[in-house]
Amino acid sequence: AQSVTQLGSHVSVSEGALVLLRCNYSSSVPPYLFWYVQYPNQGLQLLLKYTSAATLVKGINDFEAEFKKSETSFHLTKPSAHMSDAAEYFCALRGIQGAQKLVFGQGTRLTINP
Amino acid sequence: KAGVTQTPRYLIKTRGQQVTLSCSPISGHRSVSWYQQTPGQGLQFLFEYFSETQRNKGNFPGRFSGRQFSNSRSEMNVSTLELGDSALYLCASSLDDRGTVSGANVLTFGAGSRLTVL
């Protein structure tokens, strides 16, 4: 079975500080991993994706994530938080055999303090 | 390029009624999938359609159904609504990548249909 665990349902950082959102996964097949962001009253927007081409993945708005197979992790980082980063972030997994089905983590709500 | 369009955006129903939600995928996308988002259960996969055929189904009761039309537009229906069906229903479309090794095709989500059951 495949699963995604996001550590910390709420994360709060100061504007300009490092953002670190944690994601661990479990998969019996090499996974494809994604980070999505959701702003209030909106759908999900893709931040970045891992598809085995490179372990360090860069996404939009200076977000990046590193795939670590030995730790089964795919943590999301951003060097300097901006007020506009306040949103809910979801890590998702898709196995090769999983077609278009994504398994999502529970989400992490990011708050930015001025 | 227009995104994924979901209608209606908001609706209120009462227990026992049924509801139909609509999704128009990005032009050229042939796969449409549906997800339910609730505060308690998070994001859960409902089903996926490709070429008018359901390819994959999540763990939901038979009251939840869907279909896809020849133009790739999709609808989902929930019958005999229960209070617990109150949720944001998200539709996502993608290019179909079955048979490729990439698996990199991304799901693009619509803004969702927020259903409230009273």
Side-chain angles (χ1 to χ4, degrees), chain A residues 24 27 47 53 58 60 87-88 93 95-96 100-101:
Chain A
N24 287 90
S27 177
L47 282 176
K58 294 188 182 298
I60 62 173
E88 188 148 22
L93 173 155
I96 294 176
Q100 308 302 334
K101 175 183 176 181

Side-chain angles (χ1 to χ4, degrees), chain A residues 15 39 78 81-87 89 112:
Chain A
E15 190 173 18
Y39 298 100
K78 180 173 179 174
H82 191 273
M83 295 299 291
S84 61
D85 295 327
Y89 292 78
I112 311 296

Side-chain angles (χ1 to χ4, degrees), chain A residues 4-8 20-24 32-38 44-50 57 59-60 63-67 73-77 88-93 102 104-105 107-108, chain B residues 106:
Chain A
V4 176
T5 302
Q6 290 184 238
L7 300 176
L20 170 62
L21 304 182
R22 300 177 187 273
C23 172
N24 287 90
Y32 297 110
L33 294 160
F34 306 83
W35 274 99
Y36 282 88
V37 61
Q38 186 176 36
L44 302 174
Q45 178 185 356
L46 180 72
L47 282 176
L48 48 80
K49 62 184 180 185
Y50 166 76
V57 181
I60 62 173
F63 282 96
E64 63 180 37
E66 186 173 8
F67 174 74
S73 68
F74 189 57
H75 301 332
L76 180 71
T77 61
E88 188 148 22
Y89 292 78
F90 293 92
C91 181
L93 173 155
L102 291 179
F104 285 90
T108 297
Chain B
V106 171

